[in-house]
Amino acid sequence: MSEKGIEVIRTTTWSAGPGCHGGCGVLAYVKDGRLVKIEGDPEHPWNQGRLCSRCLAITQYLYHPDRLRHPLKRVGKRGEGKWQRISWHEAFDLIEKKMKGIREVYGAESMIFLQGTGRDIGGWISMLAYAYGSPNWVFGLSGLACYTPRLMVMWITQGDHCVADASQWLPQRYDDPDYQIPRCIMVWGQSLPASCPDGFFGHWIVDLMKRGSELVVIDPRCTWLASRAKIWLQIRPGTDAALALCFLNIIINEGLYDEEFVKKWTNAPFLVRVDDSKKKLLRESDLRGNGGQDNFVVWDMTTNQPRIWRSALAEYASPDVNPTCEGTYKITLANGEVARCKTVWTALKESVSEYSPEKVAEITWARPEKIVEAARFYAKSRPASLHWGLPIDTIPSTTPTAQAIAHLWCLTGNLDVPGGNVIARYPLDVVTYPFHSGAGMLSLPPEVHEKRIGTWKYGPLKDFRAWAHPDTVLEQIFTEDPYPIKGMWIQTANPIACTGLEPRKWDEALKKLDFVAVIDLFMTPTAMLADVVLPAATFLEKNSLKAWWVPLQAINKVLTVRECKTDIEINFELAKRFNPEFPWKSIEEMYDHILKPSGMTYKELGKKGWVLPPKGHPTAPYRRYEKGLLRPDKKPGFLTPSGKIELYSSWLEHWKLEPLPYYEEPPFSPISTPDLYKEYPLIMTTGRRSSAYFHSEHRMIPWLREIEPDPIIEIHPETAEQLGIKDGDLVWVENWLGKCRRKARVTPVVHPEIVMVTHGWWLPEKPGPEPSLFGVWEVNVNQLIPMGHTGKSGYGCPLKSILCKVYKTGGE
Amino acid sequence: MNDYALLVDYEYCTGCHACEVACKQEHRIPAKKPGGIKIIELIEELPGRKLDITYFPLLTRFCLFCAPRVKRGLLPACVKHCMAQCLKFGRAEELAKKTPRKRRAVLWAR
Ligand code: SF4
Ligand code: SF4
Ligand code: SF4
């Protein structure tokens, strides 16, 4: 196309548009205020000119005839699809009046603020919730099963988050002298090239494969990556913890761990009381009355005496302590009692030793010799990197599973080393998406946070991040106990089609509320149930910034589409209306405030486009624990309660959860529920990634829909033959909770005993008004998956392992 | 354009379809109309339940080798955006020399 009259504007992808967690540098070609084309920015270190199908289809997204272009007010019954166009002024007035009414009568906590996956929304919707005064900011997927569980485990174990190192922190990327290509990359449950998860551009994995990295792939499906792997372990969904524990067993008992690192940087030498019923980390306060509750005890080999580790100072209380990692010791306590204690290392070793390759092969269905080979290859490769996916969150046993996996990089010394798992912090400490309570733009007083739903049930929920508990929220809408819920603000989330399990319950819950507002880009099945619908903008229509994980980037506004507003504009306007003391006058002033730690203003960042933290900065790699860059007191060590990597977690102990990792059978499985299994003899898993779609988005985009036209079920040829199903047949997928209709794709990529049913489906081409709701009740697989089956930590849900039967339609 | 060629190292093609959409965007080809490139999927069963999954980017008879872009000194849209960077464009002779000596690589010349 001709370049005449075309302006090229640089910006960054994040959220609506490609729908993703973003990070690509793009060049937007604009003529007369209209986007004519988008291209990848070849100068951007993240994508180096590349771009995915979802982003390349953005012209069809921006100007789609079905896109919401102005605010709508419901005039018929909920779900009837009768709308009246209103102005923004009217919309804001209406919302203000309704929500202030709820606040006055029932209290601010009666209003729920619900979002979908975390993108350029989380920071702003939480700001709105707090300006309004409600602590009930929530992500709608059961058990917060999207990254929060893994983030929590990394935070309690090593004090910081980490990701696979693909040189994303370095200006010269793979050629940077500070970088090393991982010799082994373990990809645990993710089809990386189909998505850009957790701040990671999926195709970096291909860049690394070309540069010599070899793969271990753990996946129940044979993905493209699995087919290219040195070792592929095809495991039964939800048994990941057993496999990780077996890896730990092999690595520990064959001496393949980094001994020096374990002794120096982890709490392996700490003593744990193992007398019956008193299993607990030994504290200084156990040894002497005035001793510190937070100080721990080791056995010193030089003096053959217990010695104290002072957590706050991250050092031993006496000089030249040479702690042992192994053994059982008798320690006399302050009260005269003699306590039997083991080192953390001995306790860990004993507990993982139960997981032999043979036993774990039986649990996971992987072959024992392959398990051993994979463990050895990972542990012997230096550096080795581990990339884990959402399936670690979407199982009820997520906490012990994530913990067992995180121990792998800790034990092998692959944490924060080049080509290992690099500690991931917000670049230059700029936080656009608050991961911790109170780290956002506004905060709430503690007595308000106490009302955050679910905190009274789950310790991690209370102490980590600031989410309410989705399963408990849904329950509380019906029980009104301990207080009623009257309204929901739903921003770029689609619980009826995507995040909500048992979506009929969500439908019923929304209808019970006095007020529902939905902010989205298209009319969705969820938006159909709202009282007010506001049209949101794509990333091309906004000024914003992105800071997870790297680089720190500006999102520069390229154009405007009709009356659509950005999430921040909507949230900002209402936050001011709800809180007369709201501290900022303009959005830019607020961005300047957020950017303060970087020393830049928003204008300056906009000019630069993207910035990487310089070498030596606490948010730049490597080996920060040695240099005292992780802790505010500049002492070497980690930001955990003890300053060490906590293989035996004091946080889990505090929450009365098992402090060491263990395996738990999925709640619905051939083993847990043999009676159900008789009737529903296939293991159903969901959520495999698609290059065409981001979760429930993009089904209306013609260039993308032609890539994956139908809601499908993947079924193995042998199984299909037994059931008389042929490729392309329409089938019912059914269990005790419900059913959905799918097109059969007969393919050997799945295991004969497992079916994969794709998620997030609704059919924008079908009628919106009830009972159809865009065909969502025909195709939504979540109708077969229950709410309320989170793990003991409150996290996780059975998305990856449930039971079902499959039969051809027409025969019922 | 006769001496140009497109090198496909399809060992690394992930089947992500970015090239297809890049081509359609560039040449304004609507959905359901054939574009210049199409990904073919081949799944073969190997012993031990392992599979060989190969994606092959096939240039169709509608591919123009992005003549208008190339004239302006730009790379073809599919090559520029290929997520696995497994497509290369250049003079046929030079690319012939650069073609890796392996099975999963082909050179499209016209
Ligand atoms: S999904 Fe990945 S490739 Fe596509 S725009 Fe987002 S970050 Fe870029
Ligand atoms: S070279 Fe151009 S015309 Fe040919 S397939 Fe690629 S993008 Fe399409
Ligand atoms: S963009 Fe590249 S990797 Fe993706 S399908 Fe096309 S040729 Fe393959």
Side-chain angles (χ1 to χ4, degrees):
Chain A
M1 74 188 55
S2 135
E3 301 281 320
K4 241 205 195 145
I6 289 181
E7 197 189 348
V8 183
I9 303 170
R10 277 202 149 84
T11 187
T12 304
T13 63
W14 198 16
S15 103
C20 59
H21 296 292
C24 276
V26 291
L27 302 174
Y29 291 69
V30 184
K31 193 175 179 185
D32 304 326
R34 232 181 126 84
L35 185 80
V36 288
K37 186 168 72 168
I38 197 152
E39 296 216 332
D41 180 355
E43 267 148 51
H44 200 285
W46 169 281
N47 54 320
Q48 296 139 328
R50 300 173 265 189
L51 211 53
C52 66
S53 54
R54 292 180 293 272
C55 199
L56 288 163
I58 192 124
T59 49
Q60 290 193 336
Y61 192 109
L62 280 180
Y63 306 115
H64 195 288
D66 293 348
R67 205 176 145 195
L68 294 168
R69 290 173 158 78
H70 35 72
L72 296 172
K73 181 175 118 179
R74 173 172 68 84
V75 285
K77 281 200 296 237
R78 285 224 179 109
E80 214 180 11
K82 292 197 177 136
W83 304 100
Q84 182 195 328
R85 177 177 172 171
I86 53 173
S87 70
W88 275 103
H89 195 71
E90 287 169 282
F92 283 138
D93 284 353
L94 174 82
I95 291 164
E96 183 183 353
K97 189 167 150 243
K98 289 275 184 191
M99 285 172 62
K100 279 188 174 164
I102 289 175
R103 185 166 67 179
E104 225 157 82
V105 181
Y106 302 99
E109 65 276 11
S110 290
M111 194 68 211
I112 303 290
F113 294 79
L114 182 122
Q115 67 165 88
T117 183
R119 294 171 280 173
D120 192 13
I121 294 140
W124 322 135
I125 185 180
S126 59
M127 174 189 83
L128 173 65
Y130 295 173
Y132 177 78
S134 171
N136 287 321
W137 166 42
V138 65
F139 162 62
L141 184 59
S142 172
L144 298 169
C146 178
Y147 214 17
T148 295
R150 281 176 293 150
L151 289 169
M152 182 278 280
V153 162
M154 291 191 279
W155 176 69
I156 60 168
T157 306
Q158 62 204 32
D160 266 287
H161 313 310
C162 71
V163 293
D165 183 16
S167 70
Q168 59 269 50
W169 267 265
L170 305 173
Q172 297 175 54
R173 294 298 309 262
Y174 308 110
D175 300 327
D176 203 289
D178 287 340
Y179 186 62
Q180 256 181 288
I181 303 290
R183 286 188 48 209
C184 163
I185 307 175
M186 189 173 268
V187 180
W188 204 310
Q190 194 139 57
S191 177
L192 270 166
S195 64
C196 293
D198 309 347
F200 193 97
F201 180 84
H203 277 76
W204 288 340
I205 189 99
V206 182
D207 299 351
L208 291 169
M209 287 159 73
K210 287 184 182 169
R211 287 164 174 81
S213 298
E214 290 192 284
L215 307 184
V216 174
V217 170
I218 297 153
D219 208 307
R221 288 172 76 245
C222 188
T223 58
W224 178 83
L225 280 184
S227 98
R228 292 287 189 280
K230 179 184 168 87
I231 304 163
W232 168 45
L233 298 175
Q234 185 175 33
I235 63 165
R236 178 164 67 96
T239 62
D240 310 68
L243 183 65
L245 289 159
C246 184
F247 285 169
L248 291 171
N249 176 11
I250 295 161
I251 290 169
I252 294 175
N253 284 304
E254 293 188 8
L256 303 177
Y257 57 95
D258 183 335
E259 203 181 328
E260 217 187 295
F261 182 87
V262 166
K263 188 169 168 178
K264 184 157 181 204
W265 298 110
T266 76
N267 70 352
F270 287 12
L271 295 176
V272 188
R273 290 188 65 173
V274 290
D275 335 51
D276 305 330
S277 79
K278 284 191 190 133
K279 214 169 137 206
K280 211 166 181 283
L281 279 164
L282 192 66
R283 266 65 174 190
E284 187 187 22
S285 50
D286 295 323
L287 300 194
R288 31 180 175 275
N290 59 351
Q293 295 254 0
D294 303 321
N295 295 338
F296 299 94
V297 185
V298 301
W299 188 264
D300 177 32
M301 288 190 289
T302 319
T303 56
N304 267 326
Q305 291 288 329
R307 287 285 180 256
I308 303 302
W309 171 260
R310 286 187 184 143
S311 295
L313 302 171
E315 64 188 25
Y316 287 105
S318 27
D320 305 323
V321 174
N322 182 16
T324 173
C325 285
E326 309 251 5
T328 306
Y329 302 88
K330 286 207 169 101
I331 310 280
T332 309
L333 307 182
N335 61 7
E337 232 179 283
V338 177
R340 212 164 64 87
C341 297
K342 275 180 190 161
T343 63
V344 162
W345 188 249
T346 296
L348 176 69
K349 193 167 165 175
E350 284 173 7
S351 80
V352 300
S353 294
E354 288 172 33
Y355 297 92
S356 69
E358 292 69 30
K359 176 176 159 179
V360 168
E362 223 168 89
I363 298 172
T364 61
W365 301 352
R367 302 220 315 266
E369 68 281 4
K370 287 272 164 201
I371 297 176
V372 176
E373 197 190 332
R376 288 182 185 153
F377 178 59
Y378 171 77
K380 287 181 182 172
S381 304
R382 295 290 158 83
S385 191
L386 196 151
H387 183 95
W388 52 1
L390 201 80
I392 308 305
D393 304 316
T394 45
I395 51 177
S397 61
T398 174
T399 300
T401 304
Q403 197 193 10
I405 296 174
H407 279 22
L408 289 169
W409 63 69
C410 294
L411 256 56
T412 52
N414 277 306
L415 184 59
D416 214 28
V417 299
N421 281 65
V422 61
I423 285 181
R425 290 184 156 185
Y426 301 106
L428 299 163
D429 297 315
V430 171
V431 183
T432 49
Y433 192 111
F435 278 151
H436 299 284
S437 318
M441 265 60 74
L442 301 174
S443 46
L444 289 173
E447 65 274 15
V448 180
H449 261 299
E450 270 165 31
K451 294 185 191 157
R452 181 150 53 88
I453 296 170
T455 48
W456 47 81
K457 286 204 271 191
Y458 303 109
L461 203 90
K462 180 168 173 286
D463 295 316
F464 181 67
R465 298 192 77 175
W467 296 122
H469 192 246
D471 302 76
T472 315
V473 166
L474 186 67
E475 205 181 278
Q476 193 171 323
I477 291 176
F478 297 108
T479 62
E480 309 206 339
D481 181 27
Y483 55 79
I485 294 170
K486 292 292 168 185
M488 202 181 284
W489 173 272
I490 304 175
Q491 191 162 347
T492 36
N494 192 354
I496 300 296
C498 194
T499 41
L501 307 183
E502 285 187 86
R504 292 270 186 194
K505 268 194 196 163
W506 284 89
D507 178 89
E508 205 185 315
L510 291 182
K511 287 182 181 146
K512 192 171 175 289
L513 300 175
D514 292 350
F515 180 66
V516 177
V518 168
I519 293 78
D520 216 313
L521 292 100
F522 288 89
M523 184 57 75
T524 66
T526 302
M528 284 300 292
L529 303 175
D531 302 313
V532 187
V533 179
L534 304 178
T538 68
F539 77 95
L540 288 170
E541 299 153 59
K542 65 170 79 170
N543 279 319
S544 188
L545 65 165
K546 175 176 185 284
W548 83 286
W549 301 106
V550 269
L552 172 59
Q553 291 168 294
I555 301 173
N556 298 317
K557 181 168 175 162
V558 173
L559 46 80
T560 306
V561 176
R562 302 286 284 273
E563 288 183 25
C564 301
K565 275 195 198 292
T566 68
D567 291 276
I568 177 66
E569 283 166 341
I570 297 169
N571 293 151
F572 195 89
E573 169 65 27
L574 286 167
K576 280 196 301 187
R577 289 181 182 224
F578 290 134
N579 181 354
E581 278 144 49
F582 188 72
W584 300 285
K585 282 189 200 68
S586 71
I587 293 173
E588 188 168 328
E589 191 188 312
M590 189 182 83
Y591 287 166
D592 284 343
H593 168 81
I594 295 171
L595 278 166
K596 261 198 191 124
S598 75
M600 274 180 292
T601 63
Y602 183 64
K603 278 222 170 63
E604 285 162 350
L605 177 66
K607 273 193 207 114
K608 289 197 172 118
W610 53 269
V611 178
L612 289 167
K615 216 170 156 169
H617 192 274
T619 64
Y622 292 101
R623 293 199 167 85
R624 277 162 276 187
Y625 54 90
E626 284 177 356
K627 301 170 190 155
L629 288 169
L630 296 177
R631 297 165 54 94
D633 61 9
K634 307 230 162 40
K635 291 263 171 80
F638 297 86
L639 256 183
T640 54
S642 62
K644 301 261 196 191
I645 291 174
E646 299 204 348
L647 299 177
Y648 186 105
S649 170
S650 63
W651 268 115
L652 291 175
E653 192 182 85
H654 170 74
W655 294 323
K656 305 205 165 33
L657 296 167
E658 191 55 49
L660 284 175
Y662 63 97
Y663 171 66
E664 207 175 66
E665 179 67 20
F668 304 98
S669 82
I671 294 156
S672 300
T673 51
D675 288 345
L676 284 176
Y677 180 59
K678 261 186 230 145
E679 202 178 337
Y680 305 104
L682 289 167
I683 297 176
M684 184 184 93
T685 182
T686 68
R688 76 106 168 89
R689 293 301 184 251
S690 157
S691 325
Y693 305 131
F694 188 81
H695 300 300
S696 60
E697 297 166 31
H698 302 118
R699 301 305 190 285
M700 70 296 283
I701 308 299
W703 283 332
L704 300 175
R705 187 67 181 270
E706 70 176 345
I707 293 171
E708 198 179 321
D710 301 302
I712 57 155
I713 175 173
E714 292 176 342
I715 184 162
H716 191 274
E718 287 164 23
T719 315
E721 203 191 322
Q722 277 169 20
L723 298 171
I725 292 167
K726 280 191 233 35
D727 192 64
D729 280 352
L730 280 180
V731 300
W732 287 111
V733 191
E734 183 180 317
N735 72 7
W736 60 98
L737 290 168
K739 62 179 181 176
C740 66
R741 198 175 55 211
R742 292 297 174 129
K743 195 179 240 187
R745 179 176 295 167
V746 176
T747 166
V749 303
V750 281
H751 188 281
E753 296 188 49
I754 304 171
V755 289
M756 164 58 76
V757 188
T758 52
H759 74 294
W761 272 94
W762 54 292
L763 305 167
E765 65 274 19
K766 296 244 165 151
E770 286 191 313
S772 161
L773 278 193
F774 298 110
V776 74
W777 308 119
E778 287 170 43
V779 293
N780 185 354
V781 62
N782 289 353
Q783 293 171 104
L784 285 77
I785 310 171
M787 287 292 290
H789 282 271
T790 64
K792 294 185 187 83
S793 56
Y795 291 153
C797 65
L799 268 183
K800 289 289 173 190
S801 52
I802 197 97
L803 300 170
C804 74
K805 65 179 176 187
V806 180
Y807 54 95
K808 266 168 82 162
T809 57
E812 62 269 37
Chain B
M1 298 293 288
N2 279 339
D3 46 359
Y4 283 110
L6 206 150
L7 170 60
V8 183
D9 181 354
Y10 61 96
E11 181 182 352
Y12 292 109
C13 170
T14 62
C16 74
H17 300 275
C19 50
E20 293 174 352
V21 182
C23 180
K24 292 201 162 180
Q25 181 192 225
E26 181 69 26
H27 304 292
R28 303 193 176 184
I29 305 166
K32 304 218 167 104
K33 290 260 160 28
I37 191 163
K38 181 89 192 152
I39 301 302
I40 309 294
E41 184 187 64
L42 194 74
I43 301 180
E44 282 177 306
E45 295 187 52
L46 307 174
R49 288 208 35 79
K50 200 161 169 154
L51 303 176
D52 181 84
I53 301 178
T54 297
Y55 293 106
F56 181 67
L58 180 88
L59 294 184
T60 71
R61 66 198 179 88
F62 300 98
C63 169
L64 335 155
F65 264 24
C66 273
R69 281 180 70 103
V70 173
K71 243 181 249 155
R72 294 206 314 271
L74 302 171
L75 285 173
C78 60
V79 174
K80 171 164 192 307
H81 289 108
C82 172
M83 293 282 279
Q85 294 176 326
C86 69
L87 306 176
K88 279 199 176 62
F89 186 78
R91 298 274 168 198
E93 242 170 77
E94 275 156 47
L95 277 187
K97 279 182 227 149
K98 283 189 197 152
T99 307
R101 299 201 168 275
K102 62 181 179 187
R103 282 195 212 139
R104 286 191 282 214
V106 296
L107 192 65
W108 293 93
R110 299 209 318 178

